[in-house]
Amino acid sequence: MINYSDIGLWEKIRKNKIAYNYILPAAIIMAIVTAYPIIYQLWMAFTNFSISNLKNPHPAYVGVSNFIKIFKNQVALENFNFGRTLLFNIFWTISNVVLHVIIGISLAVALNTPRLALKKLYRSLLIIPWAVPSYISALIWRNMFDTQFGAVNQLLSKFGLPSSIPWLTNPNPPIHFLSFLSYAYYACLITNVWLGFPFMMVVATGGLQSIPQELYEAAKIDGANERGQFFSITLPLLRVVMMPAIMLGIVWTFNQFNVIYLVSAGGPLGTTEILVTQAYKLVNPGGIYGIASAFGLIVFLILLGITLVTNRITKATESAI
Amino acid sequence: MSKKVKVVSLLLALLLTVSIFAGCKTQPAEQPITITIWHAWSGSELDVLNDAITKYNQLHPKVTINQLQVPFDQLQNKFQTEAAGGGGPDIVVGPADWIGAFTKANLIAPIDDYVDSSFLSHYVTGAVNQVKLGSKMMAMPESTECVAMIYNKKFITQLPKDTNELKTLADSIQSGDTYGFVYNSGFYFTAGYFFAAGMQLFDSNNNSIVAQGTGGATALTFIKDMASDKKLIVANDYGKADSMFKEGKAAIIINGPWAVGDYVKALGAENVGVAAMPILSATGNPFAPFVNTKDFMINANSDTDHKKSAMDFVKFLVSKDIEQEFFSKAKHIPSNLDVDTSSDPVINGFISQMKTGVSMPIIAEMGKVWDPMQTAIDSVIAGKASPQNAIQTAQNSIQKGIDQMRGQ
Amino acid sequence: MTTQTKEKLKHLYIHGYIILWIIIAIFPIVWIISMALNPINVLKPTTLTLIPKNASLQAFKNVLIRPYEGSPVTFSRLLINSLIVAGGTAFLSIAFGATAAYAFARFKFPGRELGMLGFLLVFMIPTSATLAPLFVILTLLKVRSTLFGLIFAYTSSALPFAIWNMKGYFDSIPKDLEEAALVDGCDRNSAFTKIILPLSLPALAVTFLFGFMNGWMEWMLAWTFLTKPQSFTLAMTLYNMVGQWNTPWSNFAAFSLLIALPILIIWFLLQRYIVSGLTLGSVKG
């Protein structure tokens, strides 16, 4: 009997050579395309790289002062508030992903009902938010939230609800105990949920296929009703397949540049700013590349931390071995 | 004649003949050369450019000119990335405020060697001065632009003289979803009232002094006053003012010459009018908008031959004939003084506004002004700050940005 | 109530729920169609009328005849380029992603967890930081202004999803199947290609769609790297319409709709594989 832990590291590597071969092509591409930017950014983060260094990359080394400036909110950019941006970013991510997953799974399950008519058509229509370029969709949503003429307010008034809601222009919070969420957050949330649920629906649809029919039949025989079947069979098995998608969804939403930038531009007055839109503003129009790199590095580390924590909780990297 | 004389005269004749032919060869043959120009022009301006290239080719058949149209907000980055790597086009077309950044990064070259004072005397002095950084001329201006009052003649028969009259007039027009005045509170658009109130941007050391004196606070108070009037729309929203005007739902907006083409198409030329914005009642001074130029810049990476050839093409593009085309077909306000603009009342409206305009500073410090001033405007409108505090905060932020840029 | 009626009722509720979401999904798109039909370029219309005054199809014609103003490159050329880039990204992300995912799912080798997390790295870097370094690398490899360079860059951003998604799916396939094959004398590679891959069609299809979307929609990198109009893509050309102040909104809306169509077509076709009704239970041996 071979005790696995007795085998030395080199032995293990040798035994698993085929695994490394399988990973090689992907690893090469990623190494080339991502290693260099990371190293470059690492270096830039400790310098005062700015526009004048573009052609002549020999800026001065400034140690950790870029990082200190960021944490102390001493960066010369409007409404720069690292703490608030980070907090908002986390809340934004959680609220979005939760909604995406719930809506996505519910639609995938609904569309998986045996003998349901028009499934193919429905599925194709529901993917439209994902297919249309998000640039124009985000702009349309921004129009829809216009205070005077937006479709949202007009529809609200048709239903007799309060309809002069200043979605994108009023920096004050509508719900007092959630005082760091302005109206614009809700506008961005609605837009992003609209954009994001098709993806979760598609992944869940693929995942539902991997659940063997017999499990449902066995459960029926045991007397479980629809609800019971869903919670004891569908959900747990779906979880295995969806976990990777959820991890990715977290990373994407955390870095969701388009929606925030195009719908609210991080406003009003920086209340919907997230870390990546802030990073972009540091480069364009800020032009302070050194601080932008330091900022990018911080975002990277935060995201890494979040991923590791989520990974531990969901055990997503474990294999079925 | 003696033999000697015969030989000498033969030699002389030979010499004479040779020198005649030699004279024909003093002009060096033009070498074939390729010039690239990157721009963000579209529609009729692009047509004029293509036309100019064809005309230039007839005069200089050995010069090949390649043009590439790039989306405006990608153009600066694309040029920067390529030029920083040693490449890039020979000519890039952009607004004057790119000059500061490009010069600092050594991406563009001065053109003083290629233009002399007699050439420059044909061009608007303000435009020529705007593109100077230090004592060097860093670009060649093609056109100038500024914002002014664009109004719908169906609603406006008599122009308001000052901002009080503007408010009254706009209030009287407002009904349903039609508004008298849709006021774009973006700093670029409303800057005219800040300067009319007496605010200044920089002191002689290029440090921020927007909070000095009462100018800034007066202008912010004015904007707040306008915003509190429910019969006006005051928003930092270009698309809104633009769309409303096209749909005939806005009587007066603030916008520039680039928008007029679409407005004429939507409302008919007889309904679109351009004039100077009314003077600021609080100080009695006229609206003083930023005046900006669109310029041709030369890549510092190009070798001497390419630079020379490129400048020759640039001079052709700003010559009277081509500038006349840009004016009549694309509604550019020419930088060339020899172009006759009297035929177009719309352009003349902008030109008269320009008379009270302020040349936009192109120093790198200017880039730090936009966001803080916008925050000042936005927070005053939202009631989050008083005009005095808002302008003081803006000055502090701008100065912080300038200091950080200088590496302090 | 008979079971048939019960089922019909249940279906009714389900139809209702789905249709509600379809309305939500489509409503903004109806606006885009309205924008495309409008003869004047209006971004923020003041009324809710969905068919504008003097509606016309001129915008669609404009976009099909002369998509890119700066040069007479044809719509079909741009379409082909986009298909090459998107298809290339899709195929490469499946090819390299599936193999890597298989290794992560089935082998317990040193550096496994690190490797998986490593492949997530790419998302955590903001794009603005990668533009300049990518420019340098692709120029060094002499592929910068080619479509192949773009495919290379896009594949790297599509790989994390490919690997993670397929790993999740492979995990749910019982190991007994390969074990049985290995015992019968198959080697690892055949087990992978002949057993696992066919069973993973749903995941492969989803990954293909995702890789395709990546390559189809991206424009920022494309505008930084490409310089010859003959090699431009549809997405770049769409974005080119956004001017400094003026954007021809009607043309822009029309073009956006045209660009969305191929994605919808591909999803419609891929549905067959994703919902192929493969039941693993039937493969018990």
Side-chain angles (χ1 to χ4, degrees):
Chain A
M1 262 312 226
I2 302 174
N3 191 337
Y4 221 14
S5 58
D6 286 348
I7 305 179
L9 188 62
W10 277 119
E11 273 291 303
K12 281 193 200 156
I13 292 179
R14 204 171 56 80
K15 274 193 186 307
N16 286 305
K17 205 166 68 159
I18 187 171
Y20 294 113
N21 287 342
Y22 268 69
I23 299 185
L24 206 57
I28 291 180
I29 291 189
M30 299 292 284
I32 297 179
V33 174
T34 55
Y36 182 49
I38 295 182
I39 297 173
Y40 197 67
Q41 247 206 331
L42 255 174
W43 167 72
M44 258 209 281
F46 293 97
T47 68
N48 65 354
F49 202 102
S50 72
I51 291 250
S52 41
N53 302 107
L54 269 181
K55 225 173 158 184
N56 176 24
H58 296 297
Y61 179 73
V62 294
V64 293
S65 73
N66 285 341
F67 294 93
I68 296 177
K69 280 200 189 118
I70 292 176
F71 288 126
K72 279 188 159 173
N73 288 340
Q74 280 170 356
V75 177
L77 205 67
E78 271 323 282
N79 299 312
F80 187 96
N81 185 335
F82 186 72
R84 179 187 65 195
T85 309
L86 177 60
L87 184 64
F88 178 76
N89 211 154
I90 294 178
F91 190 81
W92 161 259
T93 308
I94 297 176
S95 49
N96 268 292
V97 176
V98 164
L99 286 174
H100 287 174
V101 172
I102 293 179
I103 298 172
I105 291 184
S106 72
L107 282 171
V109 168
L111 284 166
N112 207 34
T113 320
R115 293 178 295 274
L116 188 70
L118 299 174
K119 265 191 254 195
K120 237 180 171 182
L121 178 64
Y122 284 162
R123 281 205 187 96
S124 302
L125 290 175
L126 282 170
I127 211 186
I128 287 180
W130 200 27
V132 177
S134 63
Y135 187 82
I136 199 173
S137 309
L139 285 181
I140 295 283
W141 271 103
R142 189 173 80 180
N143 292 352
M144 302 217 300
F145 283 117
D146 187 78
T147 319
Q148 278 94 2
F149 304 116
V152 173
N153 280 351
Q154 294 206 22
L155 279 174
L156 286 175
S157 77
K158 285 212 164 81
F159 286 120
L161 296 164
S163 63
S164 269
I165 305 181
W167 293 99
L168 299 173
T169 49
N170 189 337
N172 298 314
I175 301 181
H176 286 291
F177 59 85
L178 288 171
S179 63
F180 59 98
L181 298 175
S182 62
Y183 285 99
Y185 161 72
Y186 298 99
C188 291
L189 181 68
I190 295 174
T191 309
N192 199 37
V193 166
W194 180 87
L195 270 173
F197 81 82
F199 169 68
M200 287 298 172
M201 183 190 86
V202 166
V203 176
T205 306
L208 283 174
Q209 305 316 309
S210 67
I211 303 178
Q213 245 341 79
E214 306 142 0
L215 288 178
Y216 290 114
E217 276 151 35
K220 245 195 224 157
I221 296 174
D222 278 351
N225 64 357
E226 291 257 347
R227 229 169 181 212
Q229 284 175 34
F230 178 73
F231 281 105
S232 55
I233 302 177
T234 316
L235 219 46
L237 288 177
L238 206 51
R239 205 185 86 145
V240 172
V241 178
M242 294 221 40
M243 235 356 119
I246 294 177
M247 293 278 286
L248 284 164
I250 291 177
V251 179
W252 274 333
T253 312
F254 197 83
N255 281 347
Q256 175 54 280
F257 183 82
N258 266 352
V259 171
I260 301 272
Y261 193 73
L262 294 172
V263 175
S264 69
L269 294 178
T271 46
T272 54
E273 197 84 66
I274 57 174
L275 293 170
V276 284
T277 53
Q278 192 68 275
Y280 182 75
K281 287 183 182 168
L282 282 169
V283 172
N284 182 5
I288 29 182
Y289 298 105
I291 295 192
S293 301
F295 196 86
L297 216 58
I298 296 176
V299 174
F300 173 80
L301 290 171
I302 291 176
L303 212 44
L304 193 59
I306 293 180
T307 329
L308 286 172
V309 167
T310 322
N311 195 25
R312 205 102 310 232
I313 298 179
T314 61
K315 303 196 173 62
T317 50
E318 281 193 2
S319 69
I321 298 176
Chain B
M1 249 186 270
S2 70
K3 228 182 188 171
K4 231 192 204 165
V5 174
K6 260 198 189 157
V7 169
V8 170
S9 38
L10 195 58
L11 273 173
L12 274 173
L14 253 165
L15 214 58
L16 199 58
T17 334
V18 169
S19 67
I20 293 176
F21 285 126
C24 297
K25 272 190 171 267
T26 49
Q27 188 85 334
E30 206 176 52
Q31 301 288 17
I33 191 169
T34 308
I35 301 292
T36 331
I37 173 169
W38 285 2
H39 61 89
W41 280 333
S42 64
S44 36
E45 355 172 72
L46 181 55
D47 290 337
V48 175
L49 174 65
N50 283 330
D51 215 32
I53 292 179
T54 320
K55 289 198 179 113
Y56 191 77
N57 273 133
Q58 283 160 4
L59 298 168
H60 302 264
K62 292 239 177 94
V63 179
T64 318
I65 303 183
N66 293 329
Q67 56 85 10
L68 184 69
Q69 180 198 48
V70 181
F72 182 76
D73 66 344
Q74 294 298 305
L75 183 51
Q76 187 177 12
N77 177 57
K78 191 171 171 67
F79 178 75
Q80 248 167 233
T81 318
E82 298 233 13
D90 299 292
I91 308 172
V92 65
V93 183
D97 41 80
W98 289 0
I99 295 180
F102 284 170
T103 311
K104 214 158 189 251
N106 292 318
L107 301 177
I108 57 177
I111 65 169
D112 301 282
D113 292 339
Y114 303 95
V115 295
D116 58 14
S117 47
S118 67
F119 173 76
L120 292 175
S121 63
H122 291 270
Y123 296 89
V124 177
T125 324
V128 170
N129 286 340
Q130 188 180 54
V131 298
K132 286 195 183 146
L133 209 55
S135 53
K136 301 214 173 101
M137 195 167 164
M138 298 306 296
M140 186 64 209
E142 172 264 327
S143 62
T144 54
E145 55 190 27
C146 76
V147 295
M149 179 169 77
I150 303 186
Y151 60 94
N152 189 332
K153 288 189 182 158
K154 273 209 192 122
F155 296 103
I156 312 284
T157 44
Q158 208 185 16
L159 298 176
K161 273 194 279 321
D162 60 26
T163 50
N164 288 338
E165 270 182 41
L166 172 65
K167 197 165 173 206
T168 330
L169 178 61
D171 285 351
S172 69
I173 295 177
Q174 201 280 318
S175 90
D177 57 6
T178 306
Y179 285 78
F181 182 31
V182 180
Y183 186 179
N184 188 335
S185 56
F187 181 57
Y188 174 73
F189 291 86
T190 189
Y193 282 128
F194 280 86
F195 298 126
M199 183 182 88
Q200 286 188 302
L201 287 175
F202 298 109
D203 64 9
S204 49
N205 291 322
N206 292 338
N207 286 323
S208 168
I209 51 169
V210 293
Q212 216 176 69
T214 55
T218 310
L220 285 172
T221 314
F222 166 69
I223 296 178
K224 187 176 178 160
D225 188 46
M226 297 296 264
S228 60
D229 183 341
K230 288 285 171 249
K231 287 181 174 249
L232 299 175
I233 294 185
V234 179
N236 179 11
D237 191 336
Y238 181 86
K240 193 160 182 177
D242 185 66
S243 298
M244 286 180 74
F245 193 80
K246 280 178 187 158
E247 291 192 334
K249 298 280 169 64
I252 297 177
I253 61 171
I254 307 177
N255 212 341
W258 53 80
V260 173
D262 260 3
Y263 294 163
V264 162
K265 215 166 110 193
L267 299 172
E270 66 282 4
N271 286 324
V272 177
V274 174
M277 282 294 287
I279 63 179
L280 184 63
S281 299
T283 60
N285 289 333
F287 186 74
F290 280 121
V291 179
N292 203 1
T293 52
K294 280 283 162 60
D295 313 300
F296 296 111
M297 295 173 240
I298 303 290
N299 193 335
N301 296 327
S302 303
D303 63 33
T304 327
D305 286 331
H306 280 85
K307 280 204 184 98
K308 211 158 127 209
S309 200
M311 268 313 291
D312 198 63
F313 182 54
V314 165
K315 282 178 161 175
F316 179 72
L317 287 173
V318 296
S319 65
K320 173 162 173 259
D321 294 328
I322 305 296
E323 288 251 326
Q324 183 78 43
E325 297 269 299
F326 272 119
F327 160 67
S328 55
K329 300 212 172 100
K331 300 277 176 244
H332 282 197
I333 302 176
S335 59
N336 189 323
L337 291 162
D338 300 330
V339 176
D340 178 12
T341 59
S342 55
S343 59
D344 192 330
V346 159
I347 296 296
N348 280 324
F350 285 110
I351 293 181
S352 68
Q353 176 74 83
M354 253 185 230
K355 295 206 174 90
T356 53
V358 161
S359 181
M360 170 125 80
I362 63 169
I363 49 176
E365 284 84 347
M366 185 63 206
K368 303 295 174 193
V369 168
W370 303 103
D371 281 345
M373 285 308 293
Q374 193 60 54
T375 306
I377 297 175
D378 291 342
S379 44
V380 162
I381 292 181
K384 284 209 162 245
S386 72
Q388 285 79 3
N389 289 341
I391 196 74
Q392 186 60 55
T393 316
Q395 177 170 306
N396 296 344
S397 300
I398 298 175
Q399 193 55 47
K400 205 164 80 169
I402 293 177
D403 291 337
Q404 215 163 65
M405 185 189 73
R406 291 181 185 154
Q408 287 144 13
Chain C
M1 257 198 250
T2 61
T3 36
Q4 263 212 329
T5 338
K6 255 200 199 161
E7 188 176 83
K8 280 217 177 88
L9 204 61
K10 185 177 91 172
H11 280 202
L12 216 61
Y13 286 137
I14 294 182
H15 277 281
Y17 181 65
I18 296 177
I19 291 181
L20 172 68
W21 277 101
I22 289 183
I23 295 178
I24 295 178
I26 298 196
F27 187 64
I29 310 301
V30 177
W31 279 93
I32 300 182
I33 297 178
S34 163
M35 211 194 259
L37 295 173
N38 201 339
I40 49 177
N41 296 317
V42 169
L43 175 60
K44 288 196 150 198
T46 50
T47 51
L48 266 185
T49 48
L50 294 172
I51 309 279
K53 220 166 49 169
N54 301 330
S56 91
L57 290 174
Q58 187 59 40
F60 289 96
K61 286 191 206 134
N62 290 344
V63 147
L64 285 169
I65 296 175
R66 183 72 178 227
Y68 174 58
E69 242 193 323
S71 124
V73 62
T74 58
F75 188 87
S76 46
R77 172 87 251 157
L78 297 174
L79 179 64
I80 293 174
N81 291 340
S82 283
L83 284 173
I84 293 176
V85 170
T89 309
F91 278 114
L92 282 186
S93 62
I94 290 188
F96 297 164
T99 50
Y102 185 65
F104 284 126
R106 290 299 191 241
F107 298 95
K108 200 165 182 171
F109 55 91
R112 205 181 117 260
E113 282 220 20
L114 213 65
M116 284 229 67
L117 289 173
F119 277 108
L120 258 191
L121 285 186
V122 101
F123 282 158
M124 305 191 199
I125 310 175
T127 324
S128 47
T130 58
L131 276 180
L134 260 181
F135 188 89
V136 171
I137 295 176
L138 291 179
T139 316
L140 268 172
L141 293 173
K142 299 222 191 308
V143 291
R144 196 202 87 227
S145 49
T146 66
L147 292 179
F148 183 69
L150 273 188
I151 295 179
F152 194 71
Y154 293 162
T155 306
S156 77
S157 61
L159 273 176
F161 173 73
I163 295 175
W164 278 72
N165 186 41
M166 289 197 274
K167 175 200 173 281
Y169 201 80
F170 292 161
D171 279 343
S172 68
I173 299 179
K175 274 172 42 262
D176 325 348
L177 296 166
E178 297 141 85
E179 309 277 287
L182 288 171
V183 160
D184 278 351
C186 256
D187 71 337
R188 263 300 175 183
N189 294 331
S190 310
F192 177 56
T193 50
K194 299 217 177 78
I195 301 181
I196 298 293
L197 281 187
L199 283 178
S200 315
L201 275 179
L204 289 177
V206 169
T207 309
F208 184 89
L209 181 65
F210 182 78
F212 192 87
M213 282 276 282
N214 242 20
W216 188 258
M217 292 297 193
E218 208 283 337
W219 49 263
M220 203 189 279
L221 288 176
W223 266 116
T224 312
F225 299 155
L226 301 179
T227 46
K228 290 198 261 306
Q230 286 302 315
S231 61
F232 285 178
T233 64
L234 285 174
M236 284 169 78
T237 318
L238 169 67
Y239 192 69
N240 188 48
M241 291 190 187
V242 180
Q244 184 188 9
W245 298 116
N246 289 333
T247 303
W249 291 112
S250 316
N251 290 353
F252 191 81
F255 206 153
S256 300
L257 294 171
L258 290 176
I259 284 196
L261 277 178
I263 303 277
L264 293 174
I265 295 175
I266 293 203
W267 169 240
F268 199 79
L269 295 171
L270 283 180
Q271 276 195 54
R272 196 186 344 142
Y273 296 103
I274 297 185
V275 199
S276 54
L278 290 166
T279 46
L280 295 168
S282 59
V283 201
K284 269 283 193 300

